[in-house]
Amino acid sequence: MAITSLVGANLEEIGEAIAGLNEPKYRSRQVYAGIYKHLYHSWNQFTDLGRQLRARLNDKYSLSHLPVQQVFVSKDGTRRYLFDLGPGQKIESVFIPEERRDTLCISTQVGCAIGCLFCVTGRLPMQRNLTPGEIVGQILTMQADRGTSSKRLNVVIMGMGEPLNNYDNLMKAVRLITDDRGMSISPRRVTLSTSGIVPGIKRLAEEPVIPNLAISLNATTDAVRDLLMPVNRKWNIAALLEACRNFPLAQRRRITFEYVLIENINDSLEDARRLVNLLKSLQKKVNLIPLNADPCIPLKASPPARVLAFQELLARNHITASIRRPRGNDVSAACGQLAGRDPLHGDA
Ligand code: SAH
Ligand code: SF4
Protein backbone atom coordinates (compact mmCIF):
# COMPACT_ATOMS: atom_id res chain seq x y z
CA MET A 1 0.00 0.00 0.00
CA ALA A 2 1.31 3.44 -0.89
CA ILE A 3 2.25 5.58 2.08
CA THR A 4 0.72 9.05 1.95
CA SER A 5 2.36 11.98 3.73
CA LEU A 6 0.13 13.88 6.12
CA VAL A 7 2.46 16.90 6.14
CA GLY A 8 0.49 19.50 4.20
CA ALA A 9 -2.89 17.95 5.03
CA ASN A 10 -5.46 20.22 6.67
CA LEU A 11 -7.71 19.28 9.58
CA GLU A 12 -10.49 18.05 7.29
CA GLU A 13 -8.14 15.79 5.35
CA ILE A 14 -6.64 14.42 8.54
CA GLY A 15 -10.24 13.89 9.70
CA GLU A 16 -10.89 11.75 6.62
CA ALA A 17 -7.78 9.69 7.31
CA ILE A 18 -8.88 9.15 10.91
CA ALA A 19 -12.44 8.30 9.87
CA GLY A 20 -11.01 5.79 7.40
CA LEU A 21 -9.46 3.99 10.35
CA ASN A 22 -12.79 4.09 12.23
CA GLU A 23 -11.31 6.24 14.95
CA PRO A 24 -13.19 8.99 16.78
CA LYS A 25 -13.04 12.49 15.38
CA TYR A 26 -11.10 14.05 18.26
CA ARG A 27 -8.11 11.98 17.20
CA SER A 28 -7.73 14.18 14.11
CA ARG A 29 -7.14 17.25 16.28
CA GLN A 30 -4.47 15.37 18.21
CA VAL A 31 -2.76 14.33 14.98
CA TYR A 32 -3.06 17.85 13.54
CA ALA A 33 -1.56 19.46 16.65
CA GLY A 34 1.18 16.85 16.76
CA ILE A 35 2.28 17.62 13.20
CA TYR A 36 1.96 21.40 13.16
CA LYS A 37 2.26 22.49 16.79
CA HIS A 38 4.58 19.96 18.37
CA LEU A 39 6.57 19.36 15.15
CA TYR A 40 6.45 15.56 15.56
CA HIS A 41 7.92 13.78 12.58
CA SER A 42 7.49 10.19 13.65
CA TRP A 43 4.39 8.39 14.91
CA ASN A 44 6.39 7.20 17.94
CA GLN A 45 6.31 10.74 19.23
CA PHE A 46 2.51 10.68 19.54
CA THR A 47 2.45 9.19 23.02
CA ASP A 48 -1.16 10.37 23.41
CA LEU A 49 -2.46 8.05 20.68
CA GLY A 50 -1.79 4.59 22.02
CA ARG A 51 0.50 2.01 20.56
CA GLN A 52 -2.02 0.23 18.35
CA LEU A 53 -3.32 3.32 16.62
CA ARG A 54 0.23 4.57 16.09
CA ALA A 55 1.10 1.32 14.33
CA ARG A 56 -1.98 1.52 12.10
CA LEU A 57 -1.21 5.13 11.20
CA ASN A 58 2.40 4.25 10.53
CA ASP A 59 1.33 1.58 8.02
CA LYS A 60 -0.53 4.11 5.89
CA TYR A 61 0.78 7.59 6.56
CA SER A 62 4.16 9.23 6.78
CA LEU A 63 5.10 12.39 8.68
CA SER A 64 8.63 12.87 7.47
CA HIS A 65 9.95 16.36 7.14
CA LEU A 66 11.66 17.34 3.89
CA PRO A 67 14.93 15.57 3.12
CA VAL A 68 17.71 18.02 4.01
CA GLN A 69 20.73 17.47 1.81
CA GLN A 70 22.94 20.01 3.50
CA VAL A 71 22.89 23.04 5.79
CA PHE A 72 25.36 25.85 5.13
CA VAL A 73 26.07 28.08 8.11
CA SER A 74 27.21 31.65 7.51
CA LYS A 75 29.53 33.61 9.80
CA ASP A 76 26.57 35.83 10.61
CA GLY A 77 24.51 32.85 11.84
CA THR A 78 22.30 32.63 8.75
CA ARG A 79 21.60 29.04 7.76
CA ARG A 80 20.91 27.99 4.19
CA TYR A 81 19.05 24.69 3.88
CA LEU A 82 19.40 22.69 0.69
CA PHE A 83 16.55 20.18 0.26
CA ASP A 84 16.67 17.35 -2.23
CA LEU A 85 13.18 16.75 -3.61
CA GLY A 86 14.10 14.29 -6.31
CA PRO A 87 16.47 13.98 -9.25
CA GLY A 88 17.66 17.47 -10.22
CA GLN A 89 15.08 19.05 -7.92
CA LYS A 90 16.81 21.11 -5.30
CA ILE A 91 15.19 23.90 -3.34
CA GLU A 92 16.46 26.14 -0.62
CA SER A 93 15.22 27.89 2.49
CA VAL A 94 17.02 30.35 4.71
CA PHE A 95 16.94 30.80 8.49
CA ILE A 96 17.95 34.34 9.43
CA PRO A 97 18.50 35.01 13.13
CA GLU A 98 18.24 38.62 14.20
CA GLU A 99 18.43 40.31 17.55
CA ARG A 100 14.74 40.53 18.20
CA ARG A 101 13.29 38.03 15.78
CA ASP A 102 14.08 35.07 13.58
CA THR A 103 13.05 35.08 9.93
CA LEU A 104 12.37 32.02 7.82
CA CYS A 105 12.58 32.53 4.05
CA ILE A 106 10.84 29.79 2.08
CA SER A 107 10.56 28.69 -1.56
CA THR A 108 7.42 27.95 -3.54
CA GLN A 109 8.70 26.43 -6.80
CA VAL A 110 11.64 24.42 -8.10
CA GLY A 111 13.12 27.11 -10.36
CA CYS A 112 11.14 30.10 -11.58
CA ALA A 113 9.51 30.87 -14.90
CA ILE A 114 9.74 34.67 -14.60
CA GLY A 115 13.41 34.88 -15.53
CA CYS A 116 14.40 38.23 -14.03
CA LEU A 117 17.74 39.40 -15.32
CA PHE A 118 19.25 40.04 -11.89
CA CYS A 119 18.18 36.83 -10.12
CA VAL A 120 20.06 33.54 -10.05
CA THR A 121 16.87 31.54 -9.45
CA GLY A 122 15.51 33.09 -12.64
CA ARG A 123 18.35 31.46 -14.55
CA LEU A 124 17.16 28.00 -13.58
CA PRO A 125 14.62 26.13 -15.65
CA MET A 126 11.18 26.18 -14.06
CA GLN A 127 10.62 22.58 -13.04
CA ARG A 128 7.52 22.37 -10.92
CA ASN A 129 5.34 23.85 -8.22
CA LEU A 130 5.96 22.80 -4.64
CA THR A 131 3.12 20.98 -2.88
CA PRO A 132 1.54 22.48 0.26
CA GLY A 133 3.44 19.86 2.26
CA GLU A 134 6.75 20.89 0.72
CA ILE A 135 6.02 24.55 1.45
CA VAL A 136 5.09 24.10 5.12
CA GLY A 137 7.66 21.30 5.41
CA GLN A 138 10.45 23.86 4.99
CA ILE A 139 9.15 25.77 8.01
CA LEU A 140 8.61 22.65 10.12
CA THR A 141 12.19 21.50 9.46
CA MET A 142 13.72 24.87 10.31
CA GLN A 143 11.52 25.29 13.38
CA ALA A 144 12.42 21.85 14.69
CA ASP A 145 16.10 22.76 14.26
CA ARG A 146 15.64 26.09 15.93
CA GLY A 147 14.28 24.47 19.11
CA THR A 148 12.24 26.67 21.39
CA SER A 149 12.88 30.35 21.33
CA SER A 150 11.11 33.27 22.86
CA LYS A 151 12.06 35.38 19.84
CA ARG A 152 9.35 36.34 17.40
CA LEU A 153 9.14 34.40 14.18
CA ASN A 154 8.58 35.93 10.76
CA VAL A 155 7.96 33.98 7.60
CA VAL A 156 8.85 35.54 4.27
CA ILE A 157 7.76 33.85 1.06
CA MET A 158 10.74 35.21 -0.84
CA GLY A 159 12.80 32.16 -1.70
CA MET A 160 12.90 30.37 -5.03
CA GLY A 161 9.90 30.76 -7.30
CA GLU A 162 6.98 33.10 -7.95
CA PRO A 163 4.45 32.38 -5.18
CA LEU A 164 1.42 33.67 -7.09
CA ASN A 165 2.18 31.27 -9.94
CA ASN A 166 1.58 28.43 -7.46
CA TYR A 167 -1.50 30.03 -6.00
CA ASP A 168 -3.62 27.16 -4.69
CA ASN A 169 -0.79 25.20 -3.07
CA LEU A 170 0.65 28.36 -1.58
CA MET A 171 -2.65 29.52 -0.10
CA LYS A 172 -3.32 26.12 1.40
CA ALA A 173 0.13 26.40 3.01
CA VAL A 174 -0.61 29.94 4.22
CA ARG A 175 -3.82 28.73 5.89
CA LEU A 176 -1.86 25.97 7.65
CA ILE A 177 0.91 28.37 8.69
CA THR A 178 -1.55 30.82 10.23
CA ASP A 179 -4.01 28.33 11.77
CA ASP A 180 -4.36 28.86 15.55
CA ARG A 181 -4.85 25.16 16.11
CA GLY A 182 -1.46 24.34 14.63
CA MET A 183 1.47 26.44 13.51
CA SER A 184 -0.26 29.55 14.75
CA ILE A 185 1.91 32.19 13.08
CA SER A 186 -0.05 35.43 12.77
CA PRO A 187 -0.77 36.55 9.17
CA ARG A 188 0.84 39.84 10.22
CA ARG A 189 4.13 37.96 10.53
CA VAL A 190 3.88 36.36 7.08
CA THR A 191 4.96 38.30 3.98
CA LEU A 192 4.44 37.20 0.40
CA SER A 193 6.67 38.74 -2.23
CA THR A 194 5.59 38.78 -5.86
CA SER A 195 7.13 39.94 -9.10
CA GLY A 196 3.73 41.42 -9.97
CA ILE A 197 1.24 38.76 -11.10
CA VAL A 198 -1.75 41.09 -11.20
CA PRO A 199 -4.58 38.47 -11.35
CA GLY A 200 -2.93 36.72 -8.36
CA ILE A 201 -2.85 39.96 -6.37
CA LYS A 202 -6.54 40.51 -7.13
CA ARG A 203 -7.36 36.97 -6.02
CA LEU A 204 -5.31 37.36 -2.87
CA ALA A 205 -7.28 40.48 -2.01
CA GLU A 206 -10.43 38.32 -1.68
CA GLU A 207 -8.94 35.73 0.69
CA PRO A 208 -10.13 35.36 4.28
CA VAL A 209 -6.51 35.15 5.47
CA ILE A 210 -4.23 37.68 3.81
CA PRO A 211 -0.48 37.83 4.43
CA ASN A 212 1.50 41.06 4.08
CA LEU A 213 2.19 41.93 0.49
CA ALA A 214 5.60 42.81 -0.91
CA ILE A 215 6.04 43.85 -4.52
CA SER A 216 9.35 43.49 -6.35
CA LEU A 217 9.17 46.76 -8.25
CA ASN A 218 12.83 47.28 -9.16
CA ALA A 219 12.31 49.95 -11.81
CA THR A 220 10.45 53.20 -12.36
CA THR A 221 9.88 53.06 -16.11
CA ASP A 222 8.28 50.31 -18.16
CA ALA A 223 11.27 50.29 -20.51
CA VAL A 224 13.69 49.37 -17.72
CA ARG A 225 11.25 47.06 -15.95
CA ASP A 226 10.55 45.23 -19.25
CA LEU A 227 14.26 44.60 -19.49
CA LEU A 228 14.81 43.52 -15.88
CA MET A 229 11.57 41.64 -15.28
CA PRO A 230 9.88 40.17 -18.37
CA VAL A 231 6.63 39.84 -16.38
CA ASN A 232 6.26 43.61 -16.86
CA ARG A 233 5.42 43.08 -20.53
CA LYS A 234 2.26 41.34 -19.40
CA TRP A 235 1.32 43.56 -16.45
CA ASN A 236 3.06 46.90 -16.58
CA ILE A 237 3.82 49.30 -13.75
CA ALA A 238 0.49 51.12 -14.04
CA ALA A 239 -1.53 47.86 -13.93
CA LEU A 240 0.54 46.60 -11.01
CA LEU A 241 0.17 49.76 -8.94
CA GLU A 242 -3.56 49.87 -9.69
CA ALA A 243 -3.89 46.36 -8.19
CA CYS A 244 -1.87 47.57 -5.18
CA ARG A 245 -4.15 50.56 -4.67
CA ASN A 246 -7.14 48.20 -4.57
CA PHE A 247 -5.49 45.78 -2.17
CA PRO A 248 -7.20 45.76 1.24
CA LEU A 249 -4.87 46.74 4.07
CA ALA A 250 -5.57 46.10 7.72
CA GLN A 251 -5.14 49.05 10.02
CA ARG A 252 -1.64 50.48 10.07
CA ARG A 253 -0.48 47.96 7.48
CA ARG A 254 1.53 48.92 4.42
CA ILE A 255 2.64 47.33 1.18
CA THR A 256 6.38 46.82 0.93
CA PHE A 257 7.99 47.77 -2.36
CA GLU A 258 11.27 45.98 -2.90
CA TYR A 259 13.75 47.77 -5.08
CA VAL A 260 16.99 46.04 -6.08
CA LEU A 261 19.56 48.76 -6.78
CA ILE A 262 21.66 48.07 -9.87
CA GLU A 263 24.41 50.46 -10.84
CA ASN A 264 23.49 52.80 -13.70
CA ILE A 265 20.34 50.85 -14.49
CA ASN A 266 17.77 51.96 -11.93
CA ASP A 267 19.65 53.85 -9.22
CA SER A 268 19.70 57.50 -10.36
CA LEU A 269 18.12 60.36 -8.44
CA GLU A 270 15.77 60.69 -11.39
CA ASP A 271 14.61 57.15 -10.59
CA ALA A 272 14.18 58.02 -6.93
CA ARG A 273 12.03 61.01 -7.92
CA ARG A 274 9.92 58.89 -10.26
CA LEU A 275 9.51 56.32 -7.49
CA VAL A 276 8.16 58.99 -5.15
CA ASN A 277 5.60 59.92 -7.79
CA LEU A 278 4.60 56.37 -8.61
CA LEU A 279 4.00 55.47 -4.98
CA LYS A 280 1.98 58.57 -4.17
CA SER A 281 -1.40 57.71 -2.64
CA LEU A 282 -0.24 54.24 -1.57
CA GLN A 283 0.27 53.03 2.02
CA LYS A 284 3.81 51.86 1.59
CA LYS A 285 7.34 51.34 2.75
CA VAL A 286 10.33 50.74 0.53
CA ASN A 287 13.00 48.14 0.94
CA LEU A 288 16.20 49.00 -0.93
CA ILE A 289 18.30 45.95 -1.76
CA PRO A 290 21.76 46.57 -3.22
CA LEU A 291 22.14 43.88 -5.87
CA ASN A 292 23.77 40.70 -4.60
CA ALA A 293 26.32 39.87 -7.20
CA ASP A 294 26.82 36.45 -8.71
CA PRO A 295 29.18 35.36 -11.49
CA CYS A 296 26.22 34.41 -13.67
CA ILE A 297 24.62 37.88 -13.46
CA PRO A 298 25.97 40.56 -15.84
CA LEU A 299 25.09 43.46 -13.51
CA LYS A 300 26.73 45.43 -10.71
CA ALA A 301 25.47 46.56 -7.33
CA SER A 302 24.98 50.28 -6.78
CA PRO A 303 27.86 51.68 -4.75
CA PRO A 304 26.98 52.62 -1.14
CA ALA A 305 27.02 56.38 -1.85
CA ARG A 306 24.37 56.02 -4.54
CA VAL A 307 22.27 53.77 -2.31
CA LEU A 308 22.38 56.39 0.45
CA ALA A 309 21.55 59.23 -1.93
CA PHE A 310 18.56 57.26 -3.24
CA GLN A 311 17.37 56.56 0.29
CA GLU A 312 17.80 60.19 1.29
CA LEU A 313 15.68 61.47 -1.57
CA LEU A 314 12.89 59.08 -0.57
CA ALA A 315 13.19 60.13 3.08
CA ARG A 316 12.97 63.81 2.15
CA ASN A 317 9.71 62.94 0.44
CA HIS A 318 8.41 61.14 3.53
CA ILE A 319 8.88 57.61 2.27
CA THR A 320 10.30 55.19 4.82
CA ALA A 321 13.01 53.25 3.06
CA SER A 322 15.26 50.72 4.74
CA ILE A 323 18.39 49.32 3.19
CA ARG A 324 18.44 45.57 3.39
CA ARG A 325 21.73 44.24 4.66
CA PRO A 326 22.79 41.11 2.82
CA ARG A 327 22.57 38.10 5.11
CA GLY A 328 24.41 34.85 4.57
CA ASN A 329 26.29 36.22 1.56
CA ASP A 330 29.24 33.93 2.23
CA VAL A 331 27.03 30.85 1.86
CA SER A 332 25.05 32.18 -1.14
CA ALA A 333 21.94 32.67 0.97
CA ALA A 334 21.25 36.33 0.19
CA CYS A 335 18.29 37.53 -1.92
CA GLY A 336 18.45 36.34 -5.47
CA GLN A 337 21.31 33.91 -4.87
CA LEU A 338 19.24 30.80 -4.26
CA ALA A 339 19.99 28.30 -6.98
CA GLY A 340 19.86 24.91 -5.35
CA ARG A 341 23.64 24.79 -5.61
CA ASP A 342 25.69 22.28 -3.80
CA PRO A 343 29.27 23.56 -3.62
CA LEU A 344 30.63 20.06 -3.06
CA HIS A 345 29.21 18.74 -6.30
CA GLY A 346 29.06 21.82 -8.50
CA ASP A 347 25.87 23.36 -9.79
CA ALA A 348 22.51 21.64 -9.44
N1 SAH B 1 9.61 35.68 -6.94
C1 SAH B 1 9.26 36.56 -5.91
C2 SAH B 1 9.88 36.18 -4.58
C3 SAH B 1 11.31 35.72 -4.60
S1 SAH B 1 12.52 36.90 -5.06
C4 SAH B 1 9.61 37.99 -6.26
O1 SAH B 1 10.28 38.21 -7.26
O2 SAH B 1 9.19 38.87 -5.53
C5 SAH B 1 12.72 37.83 -3.55
C6 SAH B 1 13.36 39.19 -3.72
O3 SAH B 1 14.74 39.08 -4.08
C7 SAH B 1 12.71 40.03 -4.80
O4 SAH B 1 12.36 41.28 -4.28
C8 SAH B 1 13.80 40.19 -5.84
O5 SAH B 1 13.67 41.42 -6.50
C9 SAH B 1 15.06 40.09 -5.00
N2 SAH B 1 16.24 39.70 -5.75
C10 SAH B 1 16.31 38.83 -6.78
N3 SAH B 1 17.58 38.74 -7.23
C11 SAH B 1 18.34 39.56 -6.46
C12 SAH B 1 19.73 39.90 -6.41
N4 SAH B 1 20.59 39.33 -7.25
N5 SAH B 1 20.14 40.77 -5.49
C13 SAH B 1 19.28 41.33 -4.61
N6 SAH B 1 17.95 41.03 -4.60
C14 SAH B 1 17.48 40.16 -5.51
FE1 SF4 C 1 11.58 34.55 -10.06
FE2 SF4 C 1 11.48 36.41 -8.11
FE3 SF4 C 1 13.84 35.62 -9.14
FE4 SF4 C 1 12.19 37.10 -10.60
S1 SF4 C 1 13.19 37.72 -8.68
S2 SF4 C 1 13.29 35.26 -11.31
S3 SF4 C 1 10.22 36.32 -9.97
S4 SF4 C 1 12.42 34.35 -8.00
Side-chain angles (χ1 to χ4, degrees):
M1 192 192 311
I3 305 249
T4 314
S5 174
L6 285 187
V7 178
N10 59 27
L11 189 57
E12 292 68 42
E13 289 159 338
I14 291 175
E16 284 161 24
I18 291 294
L21 296 174
N22 294 320
E23 288 288 327
K25 207 169 168 190
Y26 73 90
R27 292 291 190 203
S28 36
R29 284 191 296 277
Q30 285 175 301
V31 170
Y32 186 86
I35 298 174
Y36 297 113
K37 199 178 204 140
H38 309 305
L39 312 175
Y40 296 161
H41 43 89
S42 145
W43 290 111
N44 290 332
Q45 294 172 288
F46 284 82
T47 45
D48 53 347
L49 292 186
R51 192 184 297 254
Q52 258 200 348
L53 176 56
R54 287 195 322 245
R56 291 170 69 212
L57 283 162
N58 191 48
D59 285 343
K60 278 184 101 169
Y61 300 106
S62 104
L63 294 175
S64 344
H65 286 178
L66 290 191
V68 177
Q69 181 175 330
Q70 223 174 329
V71 182
F72 305 92
V73 184
S74 155
K75 344 190 237 316
D76 69 16
T78 300
R79 293 205 290 268
R80 174 165 71 94
Y81 287 74
L82 181 65
F83 296 97
D84 184 356
L85 304 184
Q89 297 178 15
K90 306 271 171 69
I91 60 148
E92 299 184 348
S93 317
V94 187
F95 172 90
I96 309 155
E98 286 168 286
E99 218 169 274
R100 291 175 45 204
R101 58 168 187 228
D102 290 335
T103 300
L104 307 180
C105 175
I106 57 169
S107 294
T108 53
Q109 298 182 312
V110 187
C112 182
I114 306 290
C116 302
L117 200 61
F118 48 82
C119 172
V120 181
T121 308
R123 296 281 154 129
L124 302 173
M126 163 59 191
Q127 300 211 48
R128 67 172 176 90
N129 284 330
L130 297 187
T131 62
E134 289 166 336
I135 298 171
V136 295
Q138 297 168 62
I139 302 180
L140 297 177
T141 298
M142 290 191 283
Q143 266 190 316
D145 245 19
R146 171 180 180 246
T148 49
S149 167
S150 52
K151 271 199 269 178
R152 280 202 315 229
L153 190 65
N154 285 351
V155 172
V156 297
I157 306 164
M158 294 188 184
M160 299 166 73
E162 168 46 57
L164 296 182
N165 277 353
N166 183 14
Y167 192 93
D168 293 330
N169 290 351
L170 174 75
M171 285 316 293
K172 183 174 181 199
V174 166
R175 286 190 288 273
L176 289 170
I177 293 167
T178 53
D179 186 356
D180 290 340
R181 299 163 299 189
M183 294 170 80
S184 193
I185 299 173
S186 156
R188 290 173 160 254
R189 310 235 135 261
V190 179
T191 301
L192 180 161
S193 174
T194 177
S195 59
I197 309 293
V198 167
I201 297 171
K202 289 182 179 161
R203 232 180 125 185
L204 188 64
E206 307 289 326
E207 291 286 342
V209 178
I210 306 184
N212 296 312
L213 183 63
I215 302 284
S216 300
L217 190 60
N218 300 336
T220 60
T221 64
D222 280 325
V224 174
R225 199 163 189 272
D226 280 352
L227 181 84
L228 294 177
M229 306 181 73
V231 68
N232 197 67
R233 294 178 207 147
K234 206 153 184 190
W235 299 287
N236 67 12
I237 295 179
L240 175 56
L241 295 181
E242 178 64 19
C244 291
R245 273 188 285 272
N246 292 326
F247 194 78
L249 289 174
Q251 241 191 353
R252 287 184 286 126
R253 295 272 106 180
R254 295 180 283 181
I255 296 181
T256 302
F257 288 91
E258 296 160 285
Y259 197 96
V260 177
L261 284 161
I262 307 170
E263 187 174 36
N264 294 332
I265 303 276
N266 64 1
D267 65 344
S268 69
L269 290 179
E270 207 44 55
D271 278 301
R273 265 180 227 115
R274 272 195 297 266
L275 188 57
V276 170
N277 271 325
L278 285 173
L279 299 186
K280 234 182 234 159
S281 80
L282 276 153
Q283 297 279 92
K284 73 277 179 179
K285 56 187 169 186
V286 170
N287 213 326
L288 300 172
I289 318 172
L291 178 85
N292 293 309
D294 189 280
C296 74
I297 299 171
L299 301 164
K300 277 170 76 178
S302 301
R306 276 174 89 88
V307 175
L308 285 176
F310 200 100
Q311 182 191 34
E312 243 168 59
L313 194 143
L314 297 182
R316 260 188 279 127
N317 288 280
H318 316 290
I319 296 185
T320 315
S322 53
I323 300 174
R324 197 184 288 171
R325 279 186 302 143
R327 294 294 306 260
N329 238 351
D330 53 336
V331 294
S332 297
C335 300
Q337 293 186 328
L338 303 184
R341 276 180 292 207
D342 168 0
L344 294 179
H345 302 99
D347 280 6

